[in-house]
Amino acid sequence: MILSVKNLSKNFGDTHAVKRLNFQLNGGDITGFVGPNGAGKTTTLRMMASIEEPSAGSIELDGHSIVSHPEMAREKIGFVPDTLPTQDDMTVFEYIDFFARAYAIKPARRRGLVHDLMEFTNLINIREKLLSALSKGMKQRVSIARALIHDPSFILMDEPAAGLDPRARIELRELLRVLSRQGKGILISSHILSELSEICTSTLIIEQGAMLKFGSIEEITEAEVSHRRLIIRPVGSLEEFSNFMILLPGVENLVVNGKSVEFDYAGNDEEAFALLKEIVAADRKIIEFRFRQQNLESVFMNITRGEVQ
């Protein structure tokens, strides 16, 4: 199943919150949704969940408009908002069971389904606890269980890791991997870019409502650098090895960093291989030869300006 966003726009009076966004989500993919505060991420997610109506453009599930048929969105899309459950007088079981009833799940199936969902999201041991007594991490799990009640094909998540402690964030990350392996497409908005880099197959970056980048992590990071940083760890004298390397073509801004030398290298993979052969041919012994991976945080800082609308 494919969830497509085409020329999606949303205006609030004179404010253009979302401007002609185009991207596509596939089942099994985890896409990180990145942008400064006020970039239009929440508005986009709410339109995709059929909570807000777009001013222009379309959102389609396998070619069928969910703007014209919002009931299709509510059947195939699960939404985890940035607000946590606030029904203080309900237990975990009562809350999830309530939403199962709202989806008209028959009693014979409902109790087993609620139990299975609580087991999947690790809520079984706190099923009788009031929502008001839960930590933020446990409330987030309740929100995810609620979004999974109807077994959606796509899950939209608005800052699910905000305010979670390290253990809760790790557990959330593992849960997302399981959902992805089940074939569910996930769009997750987050400011924790280092964690998105670990779990996402693709990234969507927006600012002031407009798309800046969309693609795989590798495509986005590689497109943003003209020179890659090459790291080599030699055997023997670092000074002698540095003096040898600085004379080779394509080596720029060489520095010694710990037990390694690193430098900017403009060559492609074939040229890097030729460089490695030249080092070995000169009888220079090395035990490490690798490019430093450009990360999502540096790309984000390079292409965004931090402006709001």
Side-chain angles (χ1 to χ4, degrees), residues 21 36 204-207 210-214 300 303-305:
L21 288 185
L204 170 64
I205 304 177
I206 69 171
E207 186 171 37
M211 187 170 73
L212 302 181
K213 292 286 182 180
F214 176 62
F300 179 79
I303 69 173
T304 62
R305 293 174 293 180

Side-chain angles (χ1 to χ4, degrees), residues 2-215:
I2 299 173
L3 180 58
S4 302
V5 170
K6 301 177 180 179
N7 296 317
L8 188 67
S9 299
K10 180 66 176 179
N11 304 326
F12 295 100
D14 294 332
T15 301
H16 303 294
V18 177
K19 305 170 186 174
R20 300 178 65 83
L21 288 185
N22 289 277
F23 61 93
Q24 178 177 294
L25 305 178
N26 299 304
D29 287 350
I30 303 178
T31 300
F33 196 12
V34 180
N37 289 331
K41 300 187 300 297
T42 295
T43 300
T44 300
L45 291 171
R46 288 173 63 84
M47 286 191 287
M48 295 174 71
S50 77
I51 298 171
E52 299 269 3
E53 288 191 9
S55 302
S58 65
I59 306 165
E60 298 177 355
L61 269 170
D62 282 348
H64 302 286
S65 171
I66 65 173
V67 177
S68 303
H69 303 283
E71 70 280 356
M72 189 163 49
R74 291 156 198 167
E75 178 184 346
K76 298 294 185 182
I77 296 174
F79 181 46
V80 181
D82 59 349
T83 54
L84 298 173
T86 57
Q87 289 79 359
D88 292 347
D89 59 342
M90 297 182 74
T91 66
V92 170
F93 172 81
E94 289 169 340
Y95 182 79
I96 299 173
D97 184 67
F98 171 82
F99 281 92
R101 292 170 186 266
Y103 274 98
I105 297 172
K106 295 180 179 180
R109 177 170 172 258
R110 189 177 66 242
R111 187 167 291 273
L113 174 64
V114 171
H115 178 275
D116 290 346
L117 273 175
M118 288 194 298
E119 189 170 53
F120 178 68
T121 51
N122 198 23
L123 296 170
I124 285 290
N125 292 335
I126 59 169
R127 55 177 287 150
E128 299 304 328
K129 271 196 172 186
L130 293 174
L131 295 177
S132 58
L134 300 184
S135 67
K136 188 165 187 177
M138 285 297 103
K139 283 187 176 181
Q140 192 62 268
R141 286 181 172 274
V142 173
S143 290
I144 294 171
R146 178 195 62 205
L148 294 173
I149 279 286
H150 56 302
D151 191 25
S153 300
F154 292 92
I155 304 167
L156 313 177
M157 311 182 81
D158 194 1
E159 294 290 344
L164 299 187
D165 62 44
R167 183 180 184 86
R169 291 212 306 268
I170 292 169
E171 291 173 346
L172 173 64
R173 194 163 65 230
E174 292 307 310
L175 184 60
L176 295 181
R177 288 193 175 108
V178 172
L179 292 170
S180 173
R181 288 196 293 270
Q182 292 177 352
K184 299 186 186 300
I186 301 168
L187 179 61
I188 175 172
S189 164
S190 179
H191 287 111
I192 308 173
L193 303 187
S194 58
E195 294 196 349
L196 288 183
S197 297
E198 292 182 20
I199 62 171
C200 290
T201 53
S202 58
T203 303
L204 170 64
I205 304 177
I206 69 171
E207 186 171 37
Q208 292 188 301
M211 187 170 73
L212 302 181
K213 292 286 182 180
F214 176 62

Side-chain angles (χ1 to χ4, degrees), residues 63 68 85 132 137 192 217 264 276-277 287 300:
S68 303
S132 58
I192 308 173
I217 299 286
D264 292 332
L276 176 59
K277 287 175 63 177
I287 57 175
F300 179 79

